[in-house]
Amino acid sequence: MSELCCRFDVSRKTGYKWLGRFRAEGEGGLVDRSRRPWRSAYRTPREVEELVCGVREAHPVWGGRKIRGFLLRQGHEGVPAASTITQILRRRGLITEPSKRRGFERFERPEPNELWQMDFKGWFPLGDGRRVHPLGVLDDHSRYNLCLAACPNQRTATVQGLLQATFGHYGLPQAMLMDNGSPWGNARGQPWTPLTVWMVDLGIEVIHSAPFHPQTAGKEERFHHTLGLEVIDTQPTWDSYPQVQVAFDQFRALYNHHRPHESLGETIAPVDRYQPSPRPYPDSINPPAYPDHWPTRKVDINAGISFGGTRYKIGRAFKRCTVGLAPQPNGTWTIHYRHHPIRTINPNNTTVTHVPEHP
């Protein structure tokens, strides 16, 4: 044995090991064996792996960070790192491709209710062909979803009714951000509609994003993306508006109270940072007031006023509203509705100039 081991440049211990395997198993004993240890002190316990996989199966679009934050919020101990959870999911075949992070610049209001973002998600059909228009309202600071409704249309009356219920429950925000689409804008770039005039009457600052720039309302856009992945796309066909609304309500409760938001912190959900507004929804709206030296006019049913013997078009959104005219040093007049400038007129040439309201 010593001469044989010397000839093959192995130790006597190695020689006797292979000889013993051959005697016990024949040629099958000479096959290389796995070097995997019998025990691994740092291996994630099987029950923890099953818990992680159970959360992933319940929420198929959640990644390692989301699952870790959710388990910590539920009070579980021994939760592995997000990278470990990701490896567990890959090992179990629950993640096939790494996620791609998008580069963008974040902004956030410092307090709740300073800014709400509002938008419609693209419609999707019911089984009978009717359209569902999901409407979402999100608090900029906390990402708390204040309204999630399965609407049959995008009309002013529908949105105003939902906002009245939302304002009555949570109070009034200081400002609301929205795009230029109907019913809070129009295709010609005019920011004033009956809905935005109503918001101004409530003391809410109306902010429109720049045209063709949805990134301004990125939080609401991202919420709609999540809504599509976790609710809308999970069912091939929806039967009715009530069925969709029930699913929306269940997702809203999960999103606000249990689902951790990565931009807020590992274990922080929107409910942890939100509180209702101290500005209640008023029972009545006070009429607009202007300085004593400003002439005032009431916009008629044809959306115009007469001033200095000349008729000026103001806009259909201001029908039956009282506007004030502020004199300017250059001889022009700026037409205000409450504290918002809406038009500039020049009695010398009877032209009307729109005052842009885009931030």
Side-chain angles (χ1 to χ4, degrees):
M1 177 59 70
S2 298
E3 183 179 351
L4 182 65
C5 292
C6 181
R7 186 183 308 172
F8 285 93
D9 195 23
V10 297
S11 67
R12 288 167 53 87
K13 180 180 179 180
T14 300
Y16 280 111
K17 180 185 72 172
W18 286 106
L19 182 61
R21 289 184 181 179
F22 177 77
R23 287 173 175 172
E25 304 178 31
E27 292 187 3
L30 303 181
V31 178
D32 284 339
R33 299 180 180 181
S34 172
R35 291 178 171 84
R36 181 177 179 180
W38 291 104
R39 292 181 299 275
S40 177
Y42 299 103
R43 180 178 175 83
T44 304
R46 177 172 294 276
E47 57 271 18
V48 175
E49 289 197 9
E50 296 297 333
L51 181 63
V52 166
C53 294
V55 175
R56 172 71 180 190
E57 291 171 357
H59 306 283
V61 299
W62 288 11
R65 289 187 297 271
K66 191 77 68 184
I67 293 175
R68 172 177 165 80
F70 178 79
L71 292 176
L72 290 174
R73 280 186 62 84
Q74 300 301 313
H76 292 281
E77 297 181 354
V79 179
S83 58
T84 302
I85 293 177
T86 301
Q87 292 301 324
I88 292 172
L89 298 178
R90 287 201 178 115
R91 191 163 58 242
R92 296 292 188 94
L94 299 177
I95 289 181
T96 56
E97 296 181 359
S99 61
K100 297 180 180 179
R101 298 187 65 86
R102 302 177 180 178
F104 57 91
E105 183 178 352
R106 297 180 183 273
F107 72 92
E108 177 184 290
R109 292 297 176 97
E111 297 293 336
N113 306 301
E114 286 193 9
L115 178 69
W116 291 2
Q117 297 186 14
M118 176 171 63
D119 197 9
F120 275 106
K121 178 177 171 56
W123 64 270
F124 64 93
L126 295 175
D128 57 8
R130 291 179 296 170
R131 295 183 177 185
V132 179
H133 302 270
L135 174 67
V137 181
L138 205 71
D139 177 62
D140 186 87
H141 172 75
S142 64
R143 280 67 163 181
Y144 190 89
N145 176 256
L146 301 132
C147 175
L148 181 57
C151 302
N153 55 62
Q154 298 184 14
R155 298 173 184 169
T156 297
T158 300
V159 176
Q160 186 169 343
L162 291 168
L163 287 180
Q164 285 175 331
T166 304
F167 294 156
H169 188 77
Y170 295 106
L172 299 177
Q174 296 182 20
M176 292 192 69
L177 172 65
M178 57 212 82
D179 61 18
N180 300 278
S182 177
W184 39 73
N186 67 46
R188 295 188 299 275
Q190 300 295 329
W192 298 111
T193 67
L195 185 65
T196 55
V197 170
W198 172 69
M199 293 182 192
V200 169
D201 287 337
L202 294 173
I204 300 172
E205 180 185 359
V206 176
I207 304 174
H208 288 86
S209 61
F212 310 109
H213 198 271
Q215 297 90 334
T216 306
K219 297 180 182 67
E220 183 63 34
E221 295 286 345
R222 186 62 180 85
F223 173 80
H224 285 162
H225 177 72
T226 302
L227 177 67
L229 290 176
E230 300 195 22
V231 182
I232 298 174
D233 297 341
T234 60
Q235 186 160 322
T237 304
W238 296 89
D239 298 328
S240 63
Y241 292 105
Q243 182 195 26
V244 178
Q245 190 60 57
V246 168
F248 281 6
D249 293 341
Q250 293 173 347
F251 170 74
R252 181 171 177 267
L254 172 69
Y255 179 89
N256 283 337
H257 296 270
H258 304 290
R259 182 183 184 274
H261 204 293
E262 292 176 16
S263 65
L264 304 179
E266 185 178 42
T267 62
I268 299 177
V271 69
D272 298 329
R273 292 184 62 175
Y274 183 73
Q275 57 185 4
S277 171
R279 301 175 59 203
Y281 181 63
D283 296 329
S284 60
I285 297 176
N286 296 323
Y290 302 102
D292 294 337
H293 65 283
W294 287 15
T296 60
R297 295 291 187 274
K298 186 172 183 178
V299 183
D300 57 32
I301 60 174
N302 295 317
I305 63 170
S306 294
F307 180 70
T310 304
R311 182 171 175 78
Y312 299 96
K313 195 75 171 179
I314 303 302
R316 291 180 295 177
F318 298 98
K319 289 181 180 179
R320 298 184 176 87
C321 294
T322 301
V323 297
L325 290 87
Q328 304 300 318
N330 60 359
T332 62
W333 297 77
T334 301
I335 302 176
H336 287 252
Y337 181 67
R338 297 187 184 271
H339 60 279
H340 291 272
I342 55 177
R343 293 289 189 274
T344 297
I345 62 174
N346 188 344
N348 297 325
N349 58 16
T350 65
T351 58
V352 180
T353 305
H354 168 62
V355 178
E357 287 292 309
H358 293 303

